Amino acid sequence: MNPKYAVSIILSIILSYMIVMMVPYPFLFILPGMILFPVKNKIMIPLSFLIGFMVPLSIYIIYPFNLLIKFAKIVGAISGLSPFLIILVYPLITGIIMMLSCLAVLIIRN
Amino acid sequence: MRRIIFISIILVLLLFISIMTVPFSFLNPYSGIFTEINGSNYTSETINLPGLTSPVNLYMDSNGIAHIYARNNRDLFLAEGYYMAQNRLFQMEIQALMASGNLSRWVKSEYRSDLTMHYLGLPNNAYNLMISYKNNETRYYDYLLAFSKGVNDYINGSQTPMEFRLLNVKPFYWSPFYSMVWEEYMTLFLTTGIYEPIQMDLFYSYFGYNNTNLVWPMYPYYTHNITVVPGDGTVNGYNLTDQGINPSYLYHMDWFSVWATGIDKSLLKNLTYLLRISYNNISDPYIEYSHFSIGSNSWIITSNYSKYGYPMIANDPHLTLLVPSLWIPLQLNDPNMNVTGWALAGIPGILIGHTSRTSWGITSAEGNSANDYLEILKGNYYLYNNSWHRLKEYNFTLLNKKYTMYYTNHGPLIGRYENYGISVDWTASRPSYILISELKLDMSKNYTDMINALKDWGYPPQNFALASVHHAGYLTAGMYPLIRETLPDNMTVYVIGSRSLLNGSNPEYSYAGYVPFKYLPQIEDPSRGYAFAPNQPQVNENYPYPFIGSFWASGGRAMSIYNYLKTHEKMNLTDMKRLQANLTDSWAEMLKPVLIDSLSDMKMNYTENQAYNILKDWNCSAEINSDGMTVYWYLISNIYNMTFFHYERLYNISFLYSPFETSLIYMLKNYPDSFWFNGNSTLIIERAFNITIGQLMKNLGSNISGWTWGNVHKLLISSITGLNELSIGPVSYYGDDHTVSVGPVPFVTTFPLPYVNLSSSLRKIDIPGMGIYMGIFPGGPSENFLSYYYSNQFSLWYSHQYVNYGYQWKKEAEYTYEP
């Protein structure tokens, strides 16, 4: 792999973790999306979504799985949403934001 | 150009998504609502509480009981406030809002309950009480301030608990007012005399004196031998006969008459609209069950009757069950105090508990500590003692709308129609220091200390079961207001309360003092070896201050306890536990033979015949797997439906309390041709049986083995948030209204029956002389639904088991509170 790609991917992941742990709002995921600008066109979009989705999703490992599911079920019942959506909605949002940010970079770059 | 448009679209989309998804930040996996998962169980830590003068240690044991060790009272209550907030902040605040008539601040549409609180004057009473502590009892006011500071330290220093975030509301700062207003709310829950006279007057207006007296006798039928204080009613050598009054004469008079109430009977019958609107105004939608369903059990065993030679005590107060529970288990320890038991969340100290040498329990003592008055009004004036006085105004705002409540000299007007109104004179409107009484109990070292502590107990009157190392007994503590009545033979007598409204314009019917402490119902070390107080009459008819406004429970649980205790000489711990789990319905034991006899000649089909035999063989025990209980309950529900409820429906007064089964038994035995039974009780019972079996077959199938009580009788402990997902249950449940292990449901024929939501809110059995202290309650200390300690004691409570509330416990976590 091109070292430039690897550096930008690693930086993007690190920045994503920093954002998810330090800022509650999902919109700052625009920034790690922009860092991916050196990555080649064809993997840039799926990669950005993957990072934006997987980074917040991986955070859930700090919670006991049974309690996480129980909690999601209750919050889901309160809000009228599926428990899976309760768990996945934040990673989906960050994934989409990062992907759109990357798309903008891609268009500008080309 | 196309590229610019495309980029612009993406940027606008990004901006739109970024803005629109800000509210989802609470779902951030690292800092959002999921963090509650990690905070759900107790872990040792050191917490800085600047208001402390010395360090305080809190040990959480494996049963979820907190043990707080401080070096002085003030630090102790500050730490207690912090601990309660840490575990119950949302509960405390929503309860405080509800009691202070301000729930609509959080639940925007809910003002009906708020108005009820203001009609009854709770916020006003609480404010006056707080000021009274501040001015007259500075030491205890300082404890209240310390407790509040502990709560506020938690609010300032911690993340907002999840329940607040789910409802999108913010915690407010605690103050002594909120502790006082919650105390007032609990008082309301247990007060007799506000709702009951209105109920009686409505019943009387539609059915007349003879029927009222027949259905609602002053002393419920069959309870004369099971009073709390054994004997004829004489207390400390004083009785009614000594005053030259024959109890039989007194209790057989018409206490709805004008001489007793100052209100002409014909006028009373024209006041039904006023009675209805007044009752409606003070009916809180959050208090679903009638006050007659509120009850509690307690009994004491003297050292002579105990196998161990030491007194024993048992108590289980029946309250609405919620998660989290109204109670929170604690030990409070400092150089002046070492008490373990249950505190009411939001109020400092421990209300039901034990020290190393004393133990006490509480049950509701009926008898009016409030009375309703009929007021004559003209504009903003009311008539009193032949002159007009201006109504006092109390203003408040709810949902930006201004309201005004009006007060006469007796209290708040709860209803008004044309030139009449009804006011309530409630002892809780006068400052009384029950917190002081509670804290003195918490510091008691012997029986005399407990008696002295109860001299400060004001309202509501409660039966205190007391046991020390060597003594056991009862005291009904509290303020019973007296009314000076002139009987038709011109004798005068001071009575407790009225069955009806009283004339508010005539000073003769205003309060004329209170029952002196010396003559409150009381007994120490009863010679027969035991006494019990599950809400039955405290004293017999020769009591010097007749209970005219009595409104006792039917006495079914008292009868079961009496039948058990009298046959169990040398009671031991196992006997105590078995009695607390007892499921015998004593009124069913009396009613069943009457029903069986009435049905003996009925022509039955196969299933009816099977059901008849089940009922006949039933042991009158309300166990989960009992089919006889199911047949019995639906049968009497149908009988009620065809008799009492039929007539109440005719007059649109179905909200009245259901008459007791004892009245039904008495009337079936003595007046089988009464109009209540349409002239023939046998026909009514046969018809009800036929309907019952049809209903059971339709809803439970024709296989009778499926007609078990647990199939239709279920327990649901609702979450205080109102969210079903956070509730416990529904689970099959045992018991009925009259079993010691209680599971009350109304007389309805739905399938399943309405969920039981009121039962033993805690159970305790103590033997102070042996250092044995056992307890259980249907919940846990934490309101965090993810925590094991949300409901850690529920399963044991459900199966009538106990945990150790004594002095040997296993440490689970340790908190150090540093100044």
Side-chain angles (χ1 to χ4, degrees):
Chain A
M1 186 192 275
N2 184 331
K4 271 203 319 194
Y5 293 3
V7 170
S8 69
I9 290 169
I10 289 166
L11 279 177
S12 176
I13 291 171
I14 290 170
L15 188 61
S16 296
Y17 273 111
M18 284 172 67
I19 289 170
V20 79
M21 290 165 83
M22 293 164 79
V23 186
Y25 310 110
F27 64 79
L28 281 185
F29 269 75
I30 292 170
L31 300 176
M34 292 163 79
I35 292 176
L36 289 175
F37 74 91
V39 180
K40 69 176 171 186
N41 288 359
K42 113 175 139 173
I43 61 163
M44 196 175 174
I45 300 301
L47 186 67
S48 63
F49 178 79
L50 202 64
I51 294 172
F53 180 74
M54 289 306 293
V55 165
L57 194 69
S58 65
I59 297 283
Y60 288 120
I61 61 167
I62 64 175
Y63 306 115
F65 185 70
N66 61 333
L67 288 183
L68 177 69
I69 297 298
K70 183 179 174 187
F71 185 76
K73 276 183 183 170
I74 289 168
V75 176
I78 293 163
S79 56
L81 298 172
S82 147
F84 288 106
L85 203 57
I86 293 296
I87 291 174
L88 296 180
V89 73
Y90 194 92
L92 280 171
I93 290 170
T94 51
I96 291 168
I97 288 174
M98 201 158 154
M99 186 178 71
L100 286 173
S101 145
C102 220
L103 188 62
V105 169
L106 184 73
I107 295 166
I108 291 165
R109 192 180 67 183
N110 296 336
Chain B
M1 187 64 187
R2 272 181 60 194
R3 212 173 88 173
I4 292 171
I5 293 171
F6 200 39
I7 289 173
S8 302
I9 290 171
I10 290 172
L11 289 176
V12 168
L13 199 62
L14 253 178
L15 190 68
F16 177 77
I17 292 176
S18 298
I19 293 169
M20 293 307 288
T21 55
V22 166
F24 286 90
S25 53
F26 82 103
L27 288 174
N28 179 303
Y30 189 79
S31 59
I33 202 162
F34 292 97
T35 53
E36 296 290 340
I37 296 171
N38 280 345
S40 59
N41 282 327
Y42 300 112
T43 47
S44 299
E45 61 180 308
T46 298
I47 297 163
N48 193 249
L49 293 184
L52 292 174
T53 56
S54 313
V56 174
N57 293 97
L58 186 149
Y59 305 99
M60 180 57 68
D61 76 19
S62 53
N63 292 316
I65 304 165
H67 305 265
I68 306 177
Y69 288 75
R71 293 185 191 158
N72 58 63
N73 280 150
R74 197 187 163 281
D75 284 354
L76 188 64
F77 295 125
L78 194 150
E80 188 187 14
Y82 187 90
Y83 171 74
M84 278 196 193
Q86 196 179 16
N87 286 276
R88 299 287 186 85
L89 184 63
F90 181 78
Q91 175 195 21
M92 286 163 62
E93 298 221 327
I94 201 164
Q95 286 177 169
L97 285 181
M98 186 160 67
S100 58
N102 204 7
L103 192 59
S104 47
R105 177 170 159 184
W106 280 3
V107 187
K108 298 296 179 211
S109 59
E110 191 46 83
Y111 60 93
R112 173 81 175 72
S113 166
D114 288 347
L115 282 179
T116 296
M117 295 304 119
H118 286 285
Y119 268 119
L120 289 165
L122 262 77
N124 202 13
N125 293 349
Y127 179 77
N128 292 336
L129 182 57
M130 183 187 72
I131 296 298
S132 190
Y133 269 102
K134 191 175 178 180
N135 294 338
N136 306 318
E137 296 290 347
T138 48
R139 179 182 157 202
Y140 292 94
Y141 186 70
D142 194 39
Y143 294 161
L144 282 164
L145 286 176
F147 180 86
S148 301
K149 179 160 185 2
V151 176
N152 295 334
D153 281 351
Y154 177 78
I155 293 171
N156 287 330
S158 307
Q159 194 182 25
T160 306
M162 169 173 45
E163 293 79 4
F164 292 89
R165 286 186 280 159
L166 285 173
L167 284 187
N168 197 23
V169 291
K170 284 200 163 80
F172 53 85
Y173 285 117
W174 197 259
S175 80
F177 169 79
Y178 293 115
S179 295
M180 295 296 97
V181 82
W182 184 241
E183 187 181 284
E184 292 277 325
Y185 188 89
M186 292 305 294
T187 299
L188 169 67
F189 212 51
L190 303 170
T191 292
T192 309
I194 297 175
Y195 300 88
E196 291 81 355
I198 298 177
Q199 288 248 346
M200 282 302 131
D201 277 340
L202 280 168
F203 198 94
Y204 174 84
S205 299
Y206 290 108
F207 301 113
Y209 171 70
N210 287 337
N211 277 305
T212 307
N213 200 39
L214 182 66
V215 176
W216 291 108
M218 295 244 197
Y219 274 74
Y221 297 110
Y222 315 114
T223 56
H224 279 77
N225 295 325
I226 53 170
T227 49
V228 177
V229 179
D232 69 348
T234 303
V235 172
N236 279 326
Y238 189 41
N239 60 35
L240 199 56
T241 315
D242 289 347
Q243 300 171 49
I245 296 168
N246 182 341
S248 177
Y249 161 76
L250 184 132
Y251 279 102
H252 284 88
M253 286 189 299
D254 179 357
W255 283 89
F256 290 89
S257 298
V258 66
W259 63 262
T261 64
I263 301 169
D264 191 79
K265 282 185 177 183
S266 56
L267 173 62
L268 195 60
K269 290 186 178 181
N270 287 325
L271 293 173
T272 52
Y273 182 73
L274 175 64
L275 290 165
R276 282 169 184 274
I277 58 166
S278 301
Y279 194 83
N280 188 50
N281 285 340
I282 57 171
S283 295
D284 184 350
Y286 289 110
I287 306 178
E288 290 176 22
Y289 273 92
S290 74
H291 281 226
F292 277 140
S293 282
I294 305 286
S296 305
N297 298 320
S298 72
W299 56 90
I300 54 99
I301 307 294
T302 64
S303 49
N304 292 337
Y305 210 72
S306 157
K307 180 189 171 190
Y308 313 110
Y310 291 105
M312 302 195 279
I313 181 174
N315 181 214
D316 64 291
H318 307 161
L319 292 169
T320 302
L321 302 186
L322 294 164
V323 267
S325 165
L326 296 169
W327 302 105
I328 183 163
L330 283 168
Q331 180 188 9
L332 299 176
N333 187 302
D334 73 8
N336 302 311
M337 182 186 284
N338 184 11
V339 58
T340 308
W342 289 269
L344 285 170
I347 300 175
I350 280 176
L351 185 56
I352 292 180
H354 67 83
T355 70
S356 60
R357 300 183 67 79
T358 61
S359 174
W360 61 96
I362 299 177
T363 62
S364 247
E366 313 304 335
N368 288 12
S369 53
N371 286 283
D372 299 330
Y373 286 88
L374 179 66
E375 307 284 2
I376 299 172
L377 308 170
K378 189 166 69 179
N380 283 341
Y381 290 83
Y382 66 96
L383 186 65
Y384 184 72
N385 202 12
N386 294 319
S387 61
W388 292 96
H389 302 262
R390 193 171 180 84
L391 289 163
K392 201 174 136 193
E393 292 183 10
Y394 170 76
N395 299 304
F396 61 97
T397 304
L398 288 178
L399 299 173
N400 296 322
K401 189 176 169 191
K402 285 185 177 167
Y403 293 87
T404 304
M405 294 292 166
Y406 296 92
Y407 281 66
T408 70
N409 59 320
H410 292 113
L413 275 178
I414 57 170
R416 180 175 185 165
Y417 182 62
E418 295 178 339
N419 291 329
Y420 292 104
I422 294 176
S423 66
V424 178
D425 194 341
W426 182 19
T427 47
S429 65
R430 299 157 178 80
S432 150
Y433 307 113
I434 62 173
L435 179 70
I436 298 178
S437 187
E438 178 193 313
L439 296 182
K440 284 182 178 175
L441 278 173
D442 291 351
M443 297 180 199
S444 63
K445 291 182 170 59
N446 53 48
Y447 196 86
T448 309
D449 282 354
M450 290 194 284
I451 294 289
N452 287 334
L454 293 173
K455 287 176 180 166
D456 288 308
W457 188 271
Y459 47 77
Q462 295 286 288
N463 296 317
F464 279 85
L466 307 168
S468 64
V469 172
H470 298 296
H471 300 284
Y474 270 100
L475 169 64
T476 304
M479 294 158 70
Y480 274 123
L482 292 170
I483 296 158
R484 186 176 179 272
E485 292 279 10
T486 304
L487 304 177
D489 64 1
N490 283 328
M491 292 287 287
T492 58
V493 61
Y494 289 90
V495 303
I496 295 170
S498 166
R499 300 190 83 65
S500 165
L501 300 183
L502 292 163
N503 186 339
S505 308
N506 187 342
E508 280 184 32
Y509 296 99
S510 294
Y511 292 169
Y514 298 90
V515 174
F517 187 81
K518 184 181 176 185
Y519 298 119
L520 286 168
Q522 53 198 282
I523 180 81
E524 184 178 340
D525 296 325
S527 57
R528 69 180 177 190
Y530 56 87
F532 46 96
N535 321 107
Q536 83 279 34
Q538 292 98 313
V539 280
N540 250 314
E541 291 177 346
N542 206 12
Y543 182 62
Y545 302 98
F547 279 90
I548 303 303
S550 49
F551 307 111
W552 290 299
S554 77
R557 286 173 286 111
M559 186 60 86
S560 296
I561 293 168
Y562 173 65
N563 288 337
Y564 190 96
L565 291 178
K566 75 178 178 185
T567 55
H568 285 73
E569 215 170 321
K570 298 297 171 196
M571 286 278 290
N572 62 30
L573 195 55
T574 308
D575 293 330
M576 295 288 275
K577 289 180 187 174
R578 280 188 185 148
L579 180 50
Q580 222 159 37
N582 191 286
L583 293 172
T584 302
D585 182 333
S586 290
W587 296 150
E589 286 183 324
M590 290 180 74
L591 181 52
K592 193 187 86 170
V594 182
L595 300 175
I596 292 295
D597 189 46
S598 298
L599 294 170
S600 57
D601 294 330
M602 181 183 169
K603 284 182 184 166
M604 298 181 187
N605 61 31
Y606 176 74
T607 314
E608 285 173 341
N609 197 41
Q610 268 189 308
Y612 173 79
N613 286 325
I614 282 173
L615 184 64
K616 198 173 163 187
D617 297 338
W618 177 48
N619 62 358
C620 297
S621 182
E623 286 154 21
I624 281 177
N625 59 2
S626 168
D627 41 16
M629 180 69 213
T630 309
V631 175
Y632 172 76
W633 193 262
Y634 281 92
L635 173 58
I636 58 170
S637 295
N638 276 309
I639 293 172
Y640 268 75
N641 210 17
M642 296 164 72
T643 55
F644 302 122
F645 297 165
H646 167 73
Y647 292 103
E648 289 178 0
R649 275 197 302 273
L650 275 183
Y651 298 114
N652 197 21
I653 47 172
S654 297
F655 57 89
L656 296 190
Y657 302 152
S658 302
F660 296 146
E661 285 98 313
T662 46
S663 296
L664 178 65
I665 298 166
Y666 182 83
M667 290 160 69
L668 284 172
K669 284 184 173 178
N670 296 284
Y671 300 96
D673 53 356
S674 145
F675 95 97
W676 293 100
F677 305 126
N678 206 15
N680 188 333
S681 65
T682 302
L683 283 180
I684 289 279
I685 293 170
E686 286 183 352
R687 178 78 187 121
F689 186 72
N690 179 267
I691 292 170
T692 298
I693 304 310
Q695 289 168 338
L696 291 170
M697 285 178 68
K698 184 182 169 194
N699 292 285
L700 300 176
S702 53
N703 184 355
I704 289 187
S705 63
W707 296 5
T708 58
W709 187 228
N711 221 353
V712 292
H713 185 252
K714 293 173 190 292
L715 171 78
L716 178 72
I717 305 183
S718 297
S719 161
I720 198 161
T721 60
L723 302 169
N724 290 335
E725 298 73 24
L726 307 187
S727 302
I728 298 175
V731 291
S732 295
Y733 200 53
Y734 39 74
D736 69 16
D737 284 52
H738 309 302
T739 54
V740 178
S741 183
V742 70
V745 277
F747 292 121
V748 294
T749 53
T750 57
F751 289 84
L753 294 164
Y755 294 135
V756 175
N757 65 0
L758 187 149
S759 189
S760 303
S761 61
L762 64 88
R763 298 189 187 109
K764 67 171 258 176
I765 296 173
D766 290 345
I767 314 175
M770 297 173 71
I772 292 175
Y773 305 99
M774 313 188 75
I776 196 76
F777 79 124
S782 173
E783 67 182 356
N784 185 330
F785 57 83
L786 293 169
S787 171
Y788 164 73
Y789 293 100
Y790 183 62
S791 59
N792 64 301
Q793 293 195 18
F794 171 77
S795 303
L796 293 171
W797 171 88
Y798 181 75
S799 54
H800 293 106
Q801 297 180 65
Y802 300 80
V803 300
N804 178 22
Y805 272 70
Y807 299 105
Q808 290 168 337
W809 37 268
K810 188 180 152 203
K811 187 174 84 178
E812 190 76 12
E814 178 179 350
Y815 292 86
T816 306
Y817 299 142
E818 295 278 1

